[in-house]
Amino acid sequence: MPNRNLNDLHPWVRAKAERFVDKCRTGGRPVLIYETYRSPLDQNQRYSEGASEAKAGESPHQYGLAFDCVPLTTNREAWWDAPENIWEFLYSMGASCGLDPLGDKYGEYLPWDK
């Protein structure tokens, strides 16, 4: 199971992540922080499965500098195939908190992974 502990993020990123979660919730679009820190073993596993383009040591997740999230449905279930306007809302909330989605708010860096 992915690590979802915000305390495993760098304190600077954790503060932004907490603000992001709060802004999404108060904006009517709650999110699940799906993953924070990844061990080198976890990162290499994702790489070997084709779920990441980064090997161990190459991902900001391993330094507490990244987290993954997914919007939640009204039933509080992960909404992986949410429409574009939902993802755009999340990007705008992230930007308002000083977060940078890999420098690419449109998903071109990882086109298969919002």
Side-chain angles (χ1 to χ4, degrees):
M1 173 173 213
N3 177 0
R4 297 180 178 159
N5 190 341
L6 291 180
N7 290 323
D8 288 338
L9 293 171
H10 183 283
W12 184 79
V13 176
R14 183 178 61 240
K16 292 174 184 284
E18 289 168 347
R19 194 169 335 127
F20 169 74
V21 169
D22 185 54
K23 287 184 88 148
C24 289
R25 185 182 63 252
T26 60
R29 294 287 175 204
V31 295
L32 167 68
I33 299 296
Y34 182 73
E35 186 167 29
T36 58
Y37 172 79
R38 287 184 196 150
S39 71
L41 180 65
D42 289 338
Q43 188 62 46
N44 277 337
Q45 181 176 347
R46 280 177 184 65
Y47 179 80
S48 69
E49 294 168 350
S52 176
E53 294 181 3
K55 297 177 184 175
E58 300 174 346
S59 171
H61 282 277
Q62 294 178 280
Y63 305 98
L65 300 174
F67 65 88
D68 295 335
C69 70
V70 61
L72 295 173
T73 66
T74 55
N75 295 331
R76 307 223 18 107
E77 296 173 358
W79 195 4
W80 297 106
D81 59 346
E84 286 298 314
N85 67 314
I86 302 299
W87 292 107
E88 286 297 323
F89 174 79
L90 298 186
Y91 289 130
S92 69
M93 292 298 99
S96 75
C97 295
L99 294 167
D100 180 5
L102 299 172
D104 172 26
K105 74 176 203 169
Y106 299 106
E108 293 174 12
Y109 182 80
L110 300 172
W112 47 269
D113 183 8
K114 299 269 184 204

